[in-house]
Amino acid sequence: MNKNQEIALIFERISNMLSVLDENPFKIRAYKKAALNISELGEDIVERAEQDGLTSIPGVGKDLAAKVKEYIDTGKITEYEKLSKTVPLELIELLRIQGLGPKTLSLLFKELKVRSLSDLEKVLDGDEILEFRGLAEKKIKDIKKGISIFKESKERTLLGVALPISELIINAIENIPGTEGTVVAGSLRRFRETVRDIDILTMSDNTEETVKEFTQMPFVKDVLASGSTKGSVIAGDSLNAGIQVDLRVVGPESYGAALQYFSGSKAHNVRVRSLATKKGLKINEYGVYKGDKKVAGETEHEVYESLGLPFIPPELREDRGEIEAALENTLPDLIELSDIKGDLHTHTTWSDGKATIKEMAESAKKLGYSYIAITDHSPSSVIANGLSLKRLALKKKELEEADKKIKGIKILMGTEVDIKPDGTLDYPDKVLKELDVVIASVHSGFKMDIETMTERILSAVRNPYVHAIGHPTGRLINERDPYEVDIDRLIEAALEHGKALEVNGSYPRLDLKDLHVRKAVEAGVKIIISTDAHRTEQLLQMKLGVGTARRGWVEKDSVLNTLETKELLEWLSMYR
Ligand code: DGT
Ligand code: CA
Ligand code: ZN
């Protein structure tokens, strides 16, 4: 973490601590706002402080500027230290529990002495709570549901959070002399949507020394184990809880076998092992053996080959039919990141994005894309600054100018239009008809029964001008359960009306999820894989979307944004 992020995090925590104390709402908001602006500041805050420019950061007045200065000078903020003594960190973490707001938590803290998750659980199960003011039984049930998601989130880290951390760690390990072929294994390599830890494998002749160096790296907060071939640490810093990282170091002769073994999944490996047994072979993390003779081990390819199997891509290794398909030689030819020709779901400063149309298009062009659709929100998404008809027209003008100016990439005028609770869309048909790309999504009114919600989304599928349904189940991994929707009926309707379903690659979403995508493409439904990027860097989330699609056995042909510009435009215009 750099200083900007550290200070932003502390301000965020102060804000949360104040809200649990039920302090002045202006003060609570001031800290929150400053935290956001500092985290989004495009320059080093230390430099800004040196130039006496702290108060020019929006939301940072004299008082907060002094606190920033204090942190830069002393590494501490007295107010934060003071608050921490009254309000434990563990308590404000509970604000992440869906269904439990600051007001309720404040009451529980002040009147029922709740200071931790276990306190909260005890109180919710006790009798006192039933007489506690303002907490209806329904509310208690909601909080309990929120707690179960919260607990899961503490155990498993989002793919999109773990992946960039693993890349930094891999780079660091590659810098240890004598290491080679450092890669992720485990669930992260399989692109599971959440991971319990980061498994890393490297090759070296000097295994013990490599493990030792690994456990002494600067990101290491705690060492859990350190042996001759395996090290286990918590990566993090003083402000963050951290994530477990396991490193295994093997010699080159066992690299492939170890990679196969530690990539898992366990269920896949069980099947692989029994297949080996049937062939009179033995397989472990060192190699494949016939009696005492080693027949494979250096590469994963040769490990699978020795069992009479083609290479099975890691994303498929979940014992979901991949062994059978491999034996019959019918494994899918999975889509690859390089097949993607453009992004069809992005936001800009016109709604709630942080970059302009021009900036998004330039970044997309750098990724080698042929097109990008700019799909800002519609008016009902008030918080997201959705576009009125008037602003939509202004945006169109700016977009057309940008499209003329920037050569080598086609900028498509789109919208992510709200599907309103009654199933109607947030723009009239005659407006939708004029747009190049229409993605329809649910952004509000999540609490509906499955029948009503399914009908609501199906009316969008039936609208002649809609191209795709965005993040079709509305989940936020570790945070919010999907709304209730009959996915089979959605797939059926999408097929009937020739509409696409989205695999949204934004890291908290990954929606459709792997099993649902697989169902969709098996039924013959086309998908789009998009990032929902709200800033230029988020265009890189395409990797997560493609990973999720690969877990859903998706081939290139099922994905519309693998089409060349001309073919894509033809498909899009079928709905005009
Ligand atoms: P996670 O960490 O829960 O997100 O999922 P994984 O798949 O990364 O599981 P992990 O970290 O416990 O182990 C990494 C891989 O090592 C796992 O996918 C397969 C292999 N492995 C670990 N323990 C066993 C075991 O007892 N039997 C077998 N066959 N393989 C194992
Ligand atoms: Ca793991
Ligand atoms: Zn959306």
Side-chain angles (χ1 to χ4, degrees):
M1 255 202 284
N2 61 30
K3 285 274 181 300
N4 297 36
Q5 287 167 300
E6 288 169 14
I7 295 169
L9 182 63
I10 292 174
F11 277 11
E12 174 80 25
R13 284 179 181 171
I14 294 180
S15 169
N16 287 339
M17 287 169 173
L18 294 172
S19 77
V20 171
L21 292 171
D22 204 15
E23 292 255 356
N24 182 345
F26 290 105
K27 206 169 159 191
I28 296 171
R29 269 204 301 273
Y31 273 105
K32 192 146 273 176
K33 197 166 156 220
L36 184 70
N37 289 328
I38 290 170
S39 75
E40 288 183 349
L41 190 70
E43 72 180 287
D44 185 357
I45 197 159
V46 180
E47 271 172 37
R48 187 68 86 96
E50 277 162 10
Q51 298 152 8
D52 271 338
L54 288 175
T55 49
S56 62
I57 303 170
V60 178
K62 262 208 197 117
D63 185 36
L64 294 190
K67 297 206 159 79
V68 172
K69 200 84 179 50
E70 185 190 354
Y71 188 76
I72 294 172
D73 293 343
T74 69
K76 274 198 213 152
I77 295 178
T78 316
E79 164 134 24
Y80 175 64
E81 306 286 316
K82 221 168 69 197
L83 283 167
S84 307
K85 294 213 173 80
T86 331
V87 188
L89 261 188
E90 219 192 317
L91 180 70
I92 58 166
E93 256 198 51
L94 304 183
L95 286 169
R96 280 176 33 215
I97 297 173
Q98 205 201 343
L100 179 65
K103 287 268 179 274
T104 309
L105 189 61
S106 176
L107 283 174
L108 291 169
F109 169 62
K110 286 183 171 167
E111 300 188 15
L112 297 181
K113 306 274 170 289
V114 167
R115 296 175 61 83
S116 65
L117 179 60
S118 65
D119 290 351
L120 176 65
E121 287 188 289
K122 255 185 243 137
V123 160
L124 290 178
D125 283 333
D127 295 332
E128 249 176 320
I129 195 75
L130 298 172
E131 280 145 45
F132 193 62
R133 53 192 169 122
L135 269 202
E137 219 161 302
K138 164 90 176 58
K139 177 88 181 159
I140 296 175
K141 229 176 106 192
D142 282 352
I143 299 176
K144 282 188 177 169
K145 198 169 159 214
I147 289 177
S148 76
I149 302 178
F150 175 76
K151 277 182 158 168
E152 172 85 14
S153 80
K154 286 176 75 84
E155 274 162 30
R156 303 194 63 88
T157 305
L158 299 188
L159 171 69
V161 172
L163 204 59
I165 299 176
S166 75
E167 282 161 7
L168 293 176
I169 296 176
I170 284 175
N171 273 335
I173 296 171
E174 287 272 87
N175 284 332
I176 301 176
T179 60
E180 219 177 303
T182 312
V183 286
V184 285
S187 49
L188 198 53
R189 182 168 183 234
R190 305 195 312 276
F191 274 81
R192 247 190 96 168
E193 60 191 39
T194 60
V195 302
R196 188 181 52 82
D197 58 8
I198 296 176
D199 297 290
I200 296 180
L201 178 72
T202 192
M203 237 184 312
S204 173
D205 289 330
N206 197 347
T207 60
E208 196 157 347
E209 182 59 28
T210 306
V211 171
K212 203 172 138 213
E213 289 210 26
F214 165 69
T215 57
Q216 292 167 354
M217 289 190 149
F219 57 79
V220 171
K221 190 177 163 189
D222 264 315
V223 178
L224 305 174
S226 177
S228 59
T229 59
K230 186 190 157 177
S232 189
V233 305
I234 302 288
D237 51 45
S238 57
L239 289 170
N240 264 322
I243 181 167
Q244 183 175 333
V245 184
D246 289 354
L247 174 71
R248 272 120 184 154
V249 192
V250 299
E253 68 289 347
S254 299
Y255 180 75
L259 184 56
Q260 197 288 323
Y261 182 87
F262 292 116
S263 292
S265 65
K266 270 177 203 153
H268 173 85
N269 286 355
V270 167
R271 293 293 308 278
V272 167
R273 202 173 322 129
S274 80
L275 208 65
T277 312
K278 266 191 218 142
K279 288 187 166 288
L281 299 168
K282 220 188 87 196
I283 181 169
N284 57 31
E285 63 262 52
Y286 303 103
V288 183
Y289 301 85
K290 188 164 197 126
D292 287 337
K293 193 171 164 262
K294 187 166 177 175
V295 294
E298 272 182 35
T299 70
E300 246 186 347
H301 277 86
E302 87 182 19
V303 167
Y304 280 106
E305 197 182 290
S306 70
L307 304 173
L309 298 173
F311 177 80
I312 301 178
E315 294 92 335
L316 300 184
R317 301 182 194 168
E318 299 288 350
D319 190 20
R320 291 176 177 167
E322 75 280 8
I323 302 277
E324 290 76 3
L327 285 168
E328 291 164 13
N329 228 337
T330 54
L331 281 173
D333 183 9
L334 296 181
I335 175 157
E336 294 185 21
L337 186 58
S338 57
D339 293 326
I340 299 289
K341 297 279 175 0
D343 202 327
L344 295 178
H345 183 169
T346 68
H347 298 267
T348 66
T349 44
W350 278 98
S351 62
D352 56 347
K354 300 289 172 207
T356 61
I357 295 175
K358 214 166 143 249
E359 288 164 340
M360 291 301 271
E362 296 279 12
S363 297
K365 192 175 150 183
K366 280 202 195 100
L367 293 176
Y369 288 165
S370 307
Y371 44 83
I372 178 173
I374 309 287
T375 54
D376 284 299
H377 289 286
S378 63
S380 286
S381 280
V382 178
I383 309 168
N385 192 23
L387 271 66
S388 64
L389 287 179
K390 200 169 143 204
R391 289 179 61 229
L392 189 73
L394 290 172
K395 174 185 154 180
K396 186 157 189 251
K397 242 178 97 193
E398 181 182 309
L399 187 140
E400 281 166 357
E401 276 162 25
D403 187 41
K404 259 187 228 133
K405 267 213 196 96
I406 305 172
K407 303 284 172 225
I409 185 158
K410 178 78 197 148
I411 310 176
L412 298 167
M413 173 71 187
T415 182
E416 182 184 16
V417 65
D418 268 32
I419 308 172
K420 294 195 281 189
D422 65 0
T424 60
L425 297 179
D426 209 14
Y427 289 127
D429 281 2
K430 65 173 199 298
V431 171
L432 296 176
K433 187 171 189 276
E434 299 302 317
L435 299 170
D436 300 325
V437 176
V438 176
I439 294 173
S441 311
V442 168
H443 287 124
S444 64
F446 300 125
K447 285 192 179 141
M448 282 184 167
D449 62 78
I450 186 163
E451 184 60 35
T452 319
M453 183 58 96
T454 305
E455 269 311 315
R456 174 181 177 182
I457 300 175
L458 291 198
S459 11
V461 172
R462 291 185 205 112
N463 180 293
Y465 306 114
V466 166
H467 293 108
I469 301 297
H471 43 75
T473 74
R475 70 165 179 175
L476 294 175
I477 306 169
N478 278 355
E479 212 177 301
R480 184 174 78 203
D481 278 342
Y483 43 66
E484 292 192 61
V485 55
D486 186 334
I487 202 79
D488 295 313
R489 279 184 63 203
L490 177 57
I491 288 170
E492 199 180 297
L495 189 67
E496 184 192 340
H497 295 273
K499 303 302 173 70
L501 297 178
E502 179 182 57
V503 175
N504 186 302
S506 141
Y507 76 90
R509 292 193 182 273
L510 305 183
D511 179 10
L512 294 174
K513 66 173 178 182
D514 51 8
L515 289 171
H516 286 162
V517 200
R518 187 166 170 190
K519 258 190 179 178
V521 296
E522 273 173 8
V525 171
K526 297 285 186 215
I527 62 167
I528 60 172
I529 307 177
S530 33
T531 63
D532 204 349
H534 283 67
R535 44 182 81 230
T536 53
E537 315 88 80
Q538 289 178 349
L539 290 168
L540 296 172
Q541 296 183 139
M542 189 60 82
K543 191 172 174 186
L544 306 179
V546 170
T548 304
R550 286 169 63 91
R551 286 180 63 83
W553 294 49
V554 173
E555 303 191 327
K556 181 181 173 187
D557 285 353
S558 298
V559 185
L560 289 167
N561 51 317
T562 62
L563 294 175
E564 300 293 343
T565 313
K566 186 167 163 275
E567 281 74 39
L568 179 81
L569 291 176
E570 270 166 26
W571 187 83
L572 292 170
S573 62
M574 279 200 308
Y575 297 91
R576 292 293 172 270

